[in-house]
Amino acid sequence: MEVRTAASPKDVKHYTTDRLREEFLIQNLFETDKINLVYSHIDRIITGAAVPVSGQLELTAGQELRAEYFLQRREMGLINIGGDGVVAVDGRAYDIKAREGMYIGRGAKAISFESKDPSEPAKFYLNSAPAHIAYPTVHIKPEGEAGEGVVIIKDENKVECGTLEDSNHRVINKYIVAGQVESCQLAMGMTRLMPGSVWNTMPAHTHDRRMEVYLYFDLPEDAFVVHYMGEPSETRHIIMRNEEAVISPSWSIHSGCGSRAYTFIWGMCGENQDYGDMDNIDNRTLR
């Protein structure tokens, strides 16, 4: 598990391109037969990925957490961006298809990942945050029928917004949000840009009560996203490729413009779970 410390906005505005990427960009998450994890001191979020091919991958705490098991003091959300897979939680197996997700509550001990077809492996993207209460583990589906341990994303949490004229026509699917899936502080969802649209989260905003991590994907090899970050008056940018993530501190904007349409997963943690708790930025004040 890689550990990264927090950064001050007073320092970040002096960073070189290489230093900015070193501190905030997360690359090479999705490696075959590995679980890769990055532990950030910013709200103690862990960002990671599991790509099982040869067999099961077991999630362990590692030395960095000083815990008996990974979720001893944590909760976790995941979304599968690959082929069909299986997530086992304390002996119960969940079939997780592409674009389906899970919330796994504090106290779950044995967690493993497996692919249904090694030639088309599952790609489980993970976000984990500290937790003080054990909420139920649930399987989250964009559509279908609800049942025991299964939550279907509500219609009001499937939001189409933006316009093609503004190059930001997109569909937001909220997976882990208040009123749909109970969690201590973690929120997760996925936003898909429609063909011809390239901007996300513009006009920009901050939310000083929580941080955020973005994972950009559905990009061909020669495409990229210019991710904008920094204080509104001191913006910086990072060039990002397919299946790369970026850490966004609470004081930073988090917006992107791609060379073509793309999809991204957002994960947030902090003291306020209200999705609408944003400090909106007037475009005319950005620098």
Side-chain angles (χ1 to χ4, degrees):
M1 188 185 304
E2 180 187 351
V3 178
R4 299 196 189 183
T5 56
S8 164
K10 293 180 181 179
D11 295 331
V12 169
K13 66 182 180 180
H14 299 295
Y15 284 0
T16 64
T17 297
D18 286 345
R19 178 69 187 281
L20 200 69
R21 293 171 68 86
E22 178 184 352
E23 295 290 341
F24 300 105
L25 178 64
I26 303 175
Q27 298 178 293
N28 305 316
L29 272 176
F30 296 90
E31 293 189 288
T32 297
D33 284 329
K34 288 185 178 181
I35 298 177
N36 289 324
L37 302 167
V38 175
Y39 182 114
S40 173
H41 285 189
I42 302 173
D43 282 320
R44 302 288 168 173
I45 195 169
I46 293 177
T47 302
V51 185
V53 175
S54 301
Q56 286 187 347
L57 292 176
E58 305 285 340
L59 182 63
T60 60
Q63 189 67 18
E64 295 79 5
L65 293 184
R66 300 294 196 274
E68 295 179 21
Y69 50 94
F70 191 86
L71 294 186
Q72 184 178 8
R73 300 183 294 267
R74 289 184 156 269
E75 60 187 356
M76 185 170 73
L78 65 86
I79 297 176
N80 181 13
I81 66 169
D84 294 351
V86 178
V87 178
V89 180
D90 288 338
R92 178 175 176 178
Y94 298 82
D95 291 333
I96 308 298
K97 298 180 179 179
R99 304 303 196 261
E100 294 183 354
M102 286 190 72
Y103 170 82
I104 305 176
R106 171 179 171 159
K109 293 184 177 180
I111 300 171
S112 65
F113 307 96
E114 190 173 5
S115 293
K116 287 288 190 71
D117 182 355
S119 66
E120 191 177 350
K123 294 181 177 181
F124 297 107
Y125 175 67
L126 320 172
N127 283 166
S128 173
H132 58 281
I133 295 175
Y135 285 113
T137 293
V138 293
H139 181 181
I140 308 164
K141 297 183 178 183
E143 55 188 12
E145 294 185 3
E148 183 182 357
V150 178
V151 170
I152 307 301
I153 297 176
K154 297 177 180 179
D155 288 342
E156 60 263 35
N157 288 329
K158 300 175 182 178
V159 181
E160 185 172 352
C161 56
T163 65
L164 184 58
E165 288 77 13
D166 288 331
S167 302
N168 65 356
H169 185 201
R170 60 203 187 276
V171 177
I172 303 171
N173 282 279
K174 304 172 186 177
Y175 284 61
I176 302 173
V177 290
Q180 178 169 271
V181 174
E182 290 185 294
S183 69
C184 289
Q185 60 170 313
L186 183 65
M188 280 186 81
M190 183 169 64
T191 300
R192 177 173 59 90
L193 273 70
M194 306 301 285
S197 289
V198 293
W199 278 101
N200 78 69
T201 325
M202 182 59 65
H205 64 257
T206 60
H207 26 66
D208 203 42
R209 292 140 299 277
R210 60 177 184 264
M211 62 82 68
E212 192 157 9
V213 176
Y214 276 5
L215 171 77
Y216 290 105
F217 64 105
D218 282 348
L219 283 162
E221 187 175 349
D222 62 345
F224 61 90
V225 173
V226 182
H227 179 82
Y228 296 93
M229 64 165 296
E231 293 180 295
S233 61
E234 289 279 356
T235 59
R236 298 293 183 268
H237 73 270
I238 299 175
I239 303 295
M240 299 187 59
R241 308 290 176 177
N242 188 47
E243 297 181 357
E244 293 183 343
V246 61
I247 299 168
S248 178
S250 58
W251 48 262
S252 175
I253 67 167
H254 35 282
S255 179
C257 185
S259 60
R260 54 156 293 162
Y262 51 90
T263 307
F264 68 99
I265 293 173
W266 41 269
M268 297 181 279
C269 66
E271 69 173 7
N272 194 337
Q273 291 179 292
D274 180 7
Y275 181 85
D277 177 21
M278 303 173 187
D279 303 309
N280 294 311
I281 308 299
D282 190 323
N283 277 346
R284 294 168 293 184
T285 67
L286 287 173
R287 294 181 59 190

